[in-house]
Amino acid sequence: MNIVLLGAPGAGKGTQAQKLVADYGVAHISTGDLLRAAVKAESKLGKEAKGYMDAGQLVPDQLVIDLVKERLQADDAKKGFILDGFPRNTQQAVVLGSELEDMGIELDAALLVDVASDVIIKRLSSRRTCKACGYTAPAGVDVCPRCGGEMYQRDDDKPETIAKRLDTYEKQTAPLVEYYSGNNILKKVDGDRPVDEVYADVKELLGL
Ligand code: AP5
């Protein structure tokens, strides 16, 4: 299983990826998680990325592309991978295509998790994320059900940044729906239903 998850911020990409990873043991490659880890570690990359993330903008392509290339080479990605939050624009999609071609790997699907903006704003405002492992859950969950870590509200889940992230998505990422539709691998799931119903459709669409 080699798939790309598409969808607006808060559509539920990470939630569906967590379920696929738990059930099928593939690698979860989330550029958002990788970048947040770099910010937490105060690495050179993290220091560079932080300002863009706090402003709801995309981090420059080259920084993210290098991260993903490295991650795709890791052992756990050999069993398959779910790319969550990458690619985020056409340039990243083109680079990913040529990298995978070099590696002799084909994408099985680009899966769009489709949710309306008003639902997304509510979801992100109430999302809590595990400080230790990145697991996400709605507000009210104070201890991570996966690792017992502390749940917190991401800096970019504040109302003013959510609006900027949605704007960035519409301008830069939404065109990828057409891009992958042209490659005949686009699949679309209605993400505005209970998590398990969405997941049942995800599995059916992916032939799992
Ligand atoms: P990133 O971390 O990728 O954020 P995002 O795409 O904005 O996606 P989210 O993680 O916010 O949402 P999600 O779709 O995973 O939703 P989730 O499952 O958590 O990126 C953050 C920043 O990093 C970017 O703004 C950018 O600056 C930078 N960046 C990352 N990748 C980059 C790239 N490739 N290039 C350049 N810059 C990059 O769900 C949300 C909430 O809803 C949760 O509380 C969840 O419990 C709940 N929920 C999920 N599904 C359902 C459901 N079906 N019903 C009810 N609630 C649900």
Side-chain angles (χ1 to χ4, degrees), residues 10-33:
K13 304 181 294 296
T15 301
Q16 295 301 320
Q18 284 165 1
K19 294 181 88 61
L20 287 167
V21 168
D23 287 349
Y24 299 98
V26 289
H28 182 194
I29 305 181
S30 158
T31 42
D33 286 351

PDB file of all heavy atoms in Angstrom, residues 10-33:
ATOM      1  N   GLY A  10      -7.364  19.435   8.982  1.00  0.00           N
ATOM      2  CA  GLY A  10      -8.471  19.006   9.843  1.00  0.00           C
ATOM      3  C   GLY A  10      -9.480  18.098   9.179  1.00  0.00           C
ATOM      4  O   GLY A  10     -10.467  17.700   9.806  1.00  0.00           O
ATOM      5  N   ALA A  11      -9.255  17.710   7.939  1.00  0.00           N
ATOM      6  CA  ALA A  11     -10.225  16.844   7.251  1.00  0.00           C
ATOM      7  C   ALA A  11     -10.259  15.446   7.870  1.00  0.00           C
ATOM      8  O   ALA A  11     -11.228  14.713   7.710  1.00  0.00           O
ATOM      9  CB  ALA A  11      -9.882  16.754   5.768  1.00  0.00           C
ATOM     10  N   GLY A  12      -9.183  15.086   8.558  1.00  0.00           N
ATOM     11  CA  GLY A  12      -9.132  13.752   9.170  1.00  0.00           C
ATOM     12  C   GLY A  12      -8.087  12.858   8.530  1.00  0.00           C
ATOM     13  O   GLY A  12      -8.117  11.636   8.692  1.00  0.00           O
ATOM     14  N   LYS A  13      -7.110  13.452   7.849  1.00  0.00           N
ATOM     15  CA  LYS A  13      -6.057  12.662   7.192  1.00  0.00           C
ATOM     16  C   LYS A  13      -5.267  11.865   8.242  1.00  0.00           C
ATOM     17  O   LYS A  13      -5.052  10.671   8.096  1.00  0.00           O
ATOM     18  CB  LYS A  13      -5.088  13.580   6.413  1.00  0.00           C
ATOM     19  CG  LYS A  13      -5.756  14.467   5.382  1.00  0.00           C
ATOM     20  CD  LYS A  13      -4.765  15.325   4.630  1.00  0.00           C
ATOM     21  CE  LYS A  13      -4.058  16.372   5.475  1.00  0.00           C
ATOM     22  NZ  LYS A  13      -4.940  17.412   6.058  1.00  0.00           N
ATOM     23  N   GLY A  14      -4.838  12.569   9.276  1.00  0.00           N
ATOM     24  CA  GLY A  14      -4.033  11.918  10.315  1.00  0.00           C
ATOM     25  C   GLY A  14      -4.827  10.829  11.029  1.00  0.00           C
ATOM     26  O   GLY A  14      -4.297   9.758  11.333  1.00  0.00           O
ATOM     27  N   THR A  15      -6.102  11.094  11.271  1.00  0.00           N
ATOM     28  CA  THR A  15      -6.954  10.121  11.968  1.00  0.00           C
ATOM     29  C   THR A  15      -7.080   8.843  11.147  1.00  0.00           C
ATOM     30  O   THR A  15      -6.934   7.734  11.667  1.00  0.00           O
ATOM     31  CB  THR A  15      -8.351  10.744  12.206  1.00  0.00           C
ATOM     32  OG1 THR A  15      -8.188  11.926  12.993  1.00  0.00           O
ATOM     33  CG2 THR A  15      -9.282   9.778  12.906  1.00  0.00           C
ATOM     34  N   GLN A  16      -7.327   8.972   9.857  1.00  0.00           N
ATOM     35  CA  GLN A  16      -7.457   7.786   9.007  1.00  0.00           C
ATOM     36  C   GLN A  16      -6.096   7.097   8.843  1.00  0.00           C
ATOM     37  O   GLN A  16      -6.023   5.869   8.823  1.00  0.00           O
ATOM     38  CB  GLN A  16      -8.050   8.170   7.638  1.00  0.00           C
ATOM     39  CG  GLN A  16      -9.477   8.697   7.721  1.00  0.00           C
ATOM     40  CD  GLN A  16     -10.455   7.690   8.334  1.00  0.00           C
ATOM     41  OE1 GLN A  16     -10.390   6.497   8.065  1.00  0.00           O
ATOM     42  NE2 GLN A  16     -11.361   8.169   9.184  1.00  0.00           N
ATOM     43  N   ALA A  17      -5.025   7.894   8.755  1.00  0.00           N
ATOM     44  CA  ALA A  17      -3.686   7.307   8.622  1.00  0.00           C
ATOM     45  C   ALA A  17      -3.348   6.465   9.854  1.00  0.00           C
ATOM     46  O   ALA A  17      -2.819   5.356   9.736  1.00  0.00           O
ATOM     47  CB  ALA A  17      -2.642   8.407   8.424  1.00  0.00           C
ATOM     48  N   GLN A  18      -3.689   6.982  11.045  1.00  0.00           N
ATOM     49  CA  GLN A  18      -3.399   6.235  12.286  1.00  0.00           C
ATOM     50  C   GLN A  18      -4.072   4.867  12.260  1.00  0.00           C
ATOM     51  O   GLN A  18      -3.507   3.861  12.691  1.00  0.00           O
ATOM     52  CB  GLN A  18      -3.898   7.041  13.502  1.00  0.00           C
ATOM     53  CG  GLN A  18      -3.000   8.221  13.863  1.00  0.00           C
ATOM     54  CD  GLN A  18      -3.678   9.214  14.827  1.00  0.00           C
ATOM     55  OE1 GLN A  18      -4.817   9.042  15.268  1.00  0.00           O
ATOM     56  NE2 GLN A  18      -2.975  10.279  15.151  1.00  0.00           N
ATOM     57  N   LYS A  19      -5.286   4.817  11.721  1.00  0.00           N
ATOM     58  CA  LYS A  19      -6.017   3.541  11.685  1.00  0.00           C
ATOM     59  C   LYS A  19      -5.388   2.575  10.662  1.00  0.00           C
ATOM     60  O   LYS A  19      -5.235   1.388  10.929  1.00  0.00           O
ATOM     61  CB  LYS A  19      -7.500   3.787  11.360  1.00  0.00           C
ATOM     62  CG  LYS A  19      -8.210   4.547  12.480  1.00  0.00           C
ATOM     63  CD  LYS A  19      -9.659   4.782  12.188  1.00  0.00           C
ATOM     64  CE  LYS A  19     -10.558   3.658  12.629  1.00  0.00           C
ATOM     65  NZ  LYS A  19     -10.544   3.379  14.063  1.00  0.00           N
ATOM     66  N   LEU A  20      -5.014   3.110   9.511  1.00  0.00           N
ATOM     67  CA  LEU A  20      -4.389   2.253   8.495  1.00  0.00           C
ATOM     68  C   LEU A  20      -3.059   1.699   8.992  1.00  0.00           C
ATOM     69  O   LEU A  20      -2.727   0.532   8.779  1.00  0.00           O
ATOM     70  CB  LEU A  20      -4.169   3.045   7.199  1.00  0.00           C
ATOM     71  CG  LEU A  20      -5.439   3.345   6.382  1.00  0.00           C
ATOM     72  CD1 LEU A  20      -5.151   4.391   5.305  1.00  0.00           C
ATOM     73  CD2 LEU A  20      -6.007   2.078   5.748  1.00  0.00           C
ATOM     74  N   VAL A  21      -2.296   2.551   9.673  1.00  0.00           N
ATOM     75  CA  VAL A  21      -0.993   2.126  10.192  1.00  0.00           C
ATOM     76  C   VAL A  21      -1.183   1.025  11.242  1.00  0.00           C
ATOM     77  O   VAL A  21      -0.484   0.009  11.237  1.00  0.00           O
ATOM     78  CB  VAL A  21      -0.237   3.329  10.795  1.00  0.00           C
ATOM     79  CG1 VAL A  21       0.974   2.887  11.587  1.00  0.00           C
ATOM     80  CG2 VAL A  21       0.174   4.291   9.691  1.00  0.00           C
ATOM     81  N   ALA A  22      -2.167   1.220  12.130  1.00  0.00           N
ATOM     82  CA  ALA A  22      -2.418   0.216  13.179  1.00  0.00           C
ATOM     83  C   ALA A  22      -2.837  -1.117  12.566  1.00  0.00           C
ATOM     84  O   ALA A  22      -2.422  -2.176  13.013  1.00  0.00           O
ATOM     85  CB  ALA A  22      -3.492   0.718  14.147  1.00  0.00           C
ATOM     86  N   ASP A  23      -3.643  -1.078  11.525  1.00  0.00           N
ATOM     87  CA  ASP A  23      -4.176  -2.327  10.948  1.00  0.00           C
ATOM     88  C   ASP A  23      -3.245  -2.985   9.932  1.00  0.00           C
ATOM     89  O   ASP A  23      -3.283  -4.197   9.755  1.00  0.00           O
ATOM     90  CB  ASP A  23      -5.525  -2.062  10.260  1.00  0.00           C
ATOM     91  CG  ASP A  23      -6.637  -1.828  11.277  1.00  0.00           C
ATOM     92  OD1 ASP A  23      -6.402  -2.074  12.475  1.00  0.00           O
ATOM     93  OD2 ASP A  23      -7.733  -1.394  10.878  1.00  0.00           O
ATOM     94  N   TYR A  24      -2.444  -2.190   9.238  1.00  0.00           N
ATOM     95  CA  TYR A  24      -1.676  -2.770   8.116  1.00  0.00           C
ATOM     96  C   TYR A  24      -0.158  -2.605   8.254  1.00  0.00           C
ATOM     97  O   TYR A  24       0.594  -3.057   7.385  1.00  0.00           O
ATOM     98  CB  TYR A  24      -2.165  -2.182   6.778  1.00  0.00           C
ATOM     99  CG  TYR A  24      -3.625  -2.508   6.552  1.00  0.00           C
ATOM    100  CD1 TYR A  24      -4.611  -1.576   6.853  1.00  0.00           C
ATOM    101  CD2 TYR A  24      -4.014  -3.765   6.100  1.00  0.00           C
ATOM    102  CE1 TYR A  24      -5.957  -1.889   6.697  1.00  0.00           C
ATOM    103  CE2 TYR A  24      -5.358  -4.084   5.935  1.00  0.00           C
ATOM    104  CZ  TYR A  24      -6.324  -3.148   6.236  1.00  0.00           C
ATOM    105  OH  TYR A  24      -7.651  -3.466   6.095  1.00  0.00           O
ATOM    106  N   GLY A  25       0.288  -1.932   9.315  1.00  0.00           N
ATOM    107  CA  GLY A  25       1.728  -1.864   9.598  1.00  0.00           C
ATOM    108  C   GLY A  25       2.564  -1.102   8.581  1.00  0.00           C
ATOM    109  O   GLY A  25       3.765  -1.336   8.464  1.00  0.00           O
ATOM    110  N   VAL A  26       1.917  -0.204   7.832  1.00  0.00           N
ATOM    111  CA  VAL A  26       2.688   0.597   6.874  1.00  0.00           C
ATOM    112  C   VAL A  26       3.259   1.834   7.581  1.00  0.00           C
ATOM    113  O   VAL A  26       2.871   2.149   8.706  1.00  0.00           O
ATOM    114  CB  VAL A  26       1.803   1.037   5.671  1.00  0.00           C
ATOM    115  CG1 VAL A  26       1.485  -0.149   4.788  1.00  0.00           C
ATOM    116  CG2 VAL A  26       0.529   1.711   6.148  1.00  0.00           C
ATOM    117  N   ALA A  27       4.178   2.515   6.921  1.00  0.00           N
ATOM    118  CA  ALA A  27       4.810   3.691   7.536  1.00  0.00           C
ATOM    119  C   ALA A  27       3.896   4.918   7.378  1.00  0.00           C
ATOM    120  O   ALA A  27       3.335   5.135   6.307  1.00  0.00           O
ATOM    121  CB  ALA A  27       6.150   3.962   6.862  1.00  0.00           C
ATOM    122  N   HIS A  28       3.780   5.681   8.459  1.00  0.00           N
ATOM    123  CA  HIS A  28       3.011   6.931   8.415  1.00  0.00           C
ATOM    124  C   HIS A  28       4.003   8.074   8.239  1.00  0.00           C
ATOM    125  O   HIS A  28       4.744   8.402   9.165  1.00  0.00           O
ATOM    126  CB  HIS A  28       2.227   7.086   9.723  1.00  0.00           C
ATOM    127  CG  HIS A  28       1.370   8.311   9.771  1.00  0.00           C
ATOM    128  ND1 HIS A  28       0.810   8.774  10.937  1.00  0.00           N
ATOM    129  CD2 HIS A  28       0.963   9.176   8.804  1.00  0.00           C
ATOM    130  CE1 HIS A  28       0.099   9.859  10.687  1.00  0.00           C
ATOM    131  NE2 HIS A  28       0.183  10.130   9.402  1.00  0.00           N
ATOM    132  N   ILE A  29       4.024   8.654   7.054  1.00  0.00           N
ATOM    133  CA  ILE A  29       4.965   9.753   6.798  1.00  0.00           C
ATOM    134  C   ILE A  29       4.174  11.048   6.782  1.00  0.00           C
ATOM    135  O   ILE A  29       3.546  11.412   5.784  1.00  0.00           O
ATOM    136  CB  ILE A  29       5.724   9.532   5.475  1.00  0.00           C
ATOM    137  CG1 ILE A  29       6.414   8.160   5.498  1.00  0.00           C
ATOM    138  CG2 ILE A  29       6.730  10.664   5.251  1.00  0.00           C
ATOM    139  CD1 ILE A  29       7.226   7.842   4.252  1.00  0.00           C
ATOM    140  N   SER A  30       4.168  11.716   7.939  1.00  0.00           N
ATOM    141  CA  SER A  30       3.429  12.972   8.071  1.00  0.00           C
ATOM    142  C   SER A  30       4.435  14.117   8.108  1.00  0.00           C
ATOM    143  O   SER A  30       5.223  14.217   9.051  1.00  0.00           O
ATOM    144  CB  SER A  30       2.607  12.950   9.371  1.00  0.00           C
ATOM    145  OG  SER A  30       2.298  14.271   9.777  1.00  0.00           O
ATOM    146  N   THR A  31       4.405  14.957   7.088  1.00  0.00           N
ATOM    147  CA  THR A  31       5.384  16.050   7.075  1.00  0.00           C
ATOM    148  C   THR A  31       5.113  17.024   8.227  1.00  0.00           C
ATOM    149  O   THR A  31       6.036  17.592   8.789  1.00  0.00           O
ATOM    150  CB  THR A  31       5.393  16.786   5.725  1.00  0.00           C
ATOM    151  OG1 THR A  31       4.063  16.977   5.269  1.00  0.00           O
ATOM    152  CG2 THR A  31       6.192  16.017   4.694  1.00  0.00           C
ATOM    153  N   GLY A  32       3.839  17.182   8.601  1.00  0.00           N
ATOM    154  CA  GLY A  32       3.521  18.045   9.747  1.00  0.00           C
ATOM    155  C   GLY A  32       4.175  17.515  11.009  1.00  0.00           C
ATOM    156  O   GLY A  32       4.803  18.260  11.767  1.00  0.00           O
ATOM    157  N   ASP A  33       4.066  16.189  11.252  1.00  0.00           N
ATOM    158  CA  ASP A  33       4.686  15.593  12.451  1.00  0.00           C
ATOM    159  C   ASP A  33       6.208  15.731  12.393  1.00  0.00           C
ATOM    160  O   ASP A  33       6.854  16.024  13.406  1.00  0.00           O
ATOM    161  CB  ASP A  33       4.338  14.098  12.553  1.00  0.00           C
ATOM    162  CG  ASP A  33       2.891  13.864  12.992  1.00  0.00           C
ATOM    163  OD1 ASP A  33       2.219  14.841  13.373  1.00  0.00           O
ATOM    164  OD2 ASP A  33       2.447  12.702  12.931  1.00  0.00           O
TER     165      ASP A  33
END
